[in-house]
Amino acid sequence: MTDQTAATDWSRWLDRWEAQQGREMPDREERFAAMIDVLVDLCGTAPHVADLGSGPGSLARRIIERLPGARVTAIDMDPVLLAIGRNALGDMGGRLSWLDADLRSRWSAQAAGPVDAAVSATALHWLKLDALAGLYRHLGTVLRPGGVFVNGDGMALPATEPRLAAAALSIRNRRRAPAGGSSESWEQWWEAVDADPGLAAEVAERNLRHHDHPDHENQADLAAHVMLLRQAGFAEVDTLWQHLADRVLVAIR
Ligand SMILES: C[S@@+](CC[C@H](N)C(=O)[O-])C[C@H]1O[C@@H](n2cnc3c(N)ncnc32)[C@H](O)[C@@H]1O
């Protein structure tokens, strides 16, 4: 792995990740900033945070850069994204740690102690409803009493509002950067990863671990998230930032 590490431009891969995610979500930076605002208000400037579905650490890194005392455990099960994050960001002066774990498992057994907050960006729509319910129950054992969960993700409008849901979707699609622009699409980014010999070991492991995630029609909507969080014992749950169906849903234990 040493030769491979030397040959792979991890920082460049991280930059390309940020560019393609920004293309998919023009409001990504604004949503990250709103999530960190919530963290500061409810947990102060030195929280211990778990980033669920961290990818290569995009949100974890922004939290550490903005909050001088924050520590983050970045949790993901994708070997490609973990390798990019670990190699491009390292441990950020001992404030960032990485955990290779499946959010559908009882991952806290491996994580360090109770945390003040759990955050997640553009990740939990990958979980089916039963897995989401299990994760929210599990957060009860991971968050300290009064701890906070901050989830930035697409959470569809309810089926009772079909024209509003369709309008939200078409406005979102119009606002996305057009195909053929300077940054890659999600599919182009992964095609490029597959073609880089320096990432071959991580790609092979990723293929072994592949798991299906719900298609857009079967993702949990806002009502499902709120219901599951309340069932899991969260005391207050509401949206604190929203653009169309993209929200920052915040819950306090
Ligand atoms: C679109 S990426 C977002 C990554 C990062 N939060 C960001 O905003 O750039 C979704 C992430 O969720 C992770 N993920 C999905 N299902 C997971 C699971 N069951 N366990 C751990 N991570 C998961 C994926 O591996 C991927 O890194």
Side-chain angles (χ1 to χ4, degrees):
M1 190 74 93
T2 319
D3 289 348
Q4 175 193 343
T5 304
T8 306
D9 190 344
W10 301 103
S11 296
R12 172 91 184 109
W13 275 116
L14 180 57
D15 291 346
R16 284 171 74 169
W17 170 265
E18 301 289 12
Q20 64 90 352
Q21 286 288 289
R23 167 181 156 154
E24 298 287 326
M25 278 166 291
D27 292 328
R28 186 168 182 253
E29 288 304 330
E30 187 184 323
R31 192 180 69 184
F32 279 146
M35 294 176 74
I36 301 174
D37 285 344
V38 171
L39 264 188
V40 172
D41 221 73
L42 292 172
C43 302
T45 55
H48 182 196
V49 181
D51 181 1
L52 314 178
S54 63
S58 303
L59 175 56
R61 163 204 215 168
R62 285 165 174 80
I63 292 170
I64 288 170
E65 284 171 353
R66 196 171 135 192
L67 307 187
R71 287 178 297 134
V72 183
T73 304
I75 304 167
D76 207 286
M77 63 173 290
D78 188 314
V80 172
L81 298 178
L82 285 171
I84 293 171
R86 278 186 169 123
N87 286 290
L89 298 177
D91 71 356
M92 297 191 74
R95 295 168 64 202
L96 175 59
S97 53
W98 298 91
L99 180 63
D100 181 351
D102 188 337
L103 294 172
R104 296 166 299 173
S105 71
R106 293 185 66 78
W107 45 269
S108 73
Q110 311 163 56
V115 294
D116 303 303
V119 298
S120 184
T122 332
L124 300 187
H125 64 273
W126 287 43
L127 299 188
K128 294 181 181 156
L129 268 190
D130 57 341
L132 199 56
L135 172 66
Y136 287 168
R137 281 194 301 272
H138 189 50
L139 278 182
T141 68
V142 177
L143 284 171
R144 66 163 172 76
V148 173
F149 172 55
V150 185
N151 184 20
D153 205 356
M155 289 167 234
L157 281 75
T160 50
E161 325 299 328
R163 285 173 296 168
L164 295 183
L169 191 61
S170 73
I171 294 167
R172 175 182 184 271
N173 288 340
R174 275 203 303 278
R175 287 198 71 229
R176 258 189 193 158
S182 59
S183 53
E184 296 158 301
S185 67
W186 171 265
E187 291 78 16
Q188 287 167 332
W189 190 87
W190 281 107
E191 279 165 21
V193 163
D194 286 346
D196 184 343
L199 292 169
E202 287 79 8
V203 167
E205 177 62 21
R206 181 174 200 265
N207 291 338
L208 286 177
R209 292 185 185 192
H210 174 80
H211 71 87
D212 288 330
H213 51 85
D215 53 30
H216 284 287
E217 287 72 41
N218 292 307
Q219 287 167 7
D221 63 11
L222 174 67
H225 281 277
V226 172
M227 181 189 72
L228 293 176
L229 285 164
R230 291 211 183 272
Q231 283 175 353
F234 284 82
E236 294 187 34
V237 185
D238 213 338
T239 299
L240 289 191
W241 178 94
Q242 177 175 1
H243 182 252
L244 305 170
D246 193 14
R247 301 163 200 270
V248 174
L249 185 66
V250 183
I252 303 180
R253 281 279 313 159

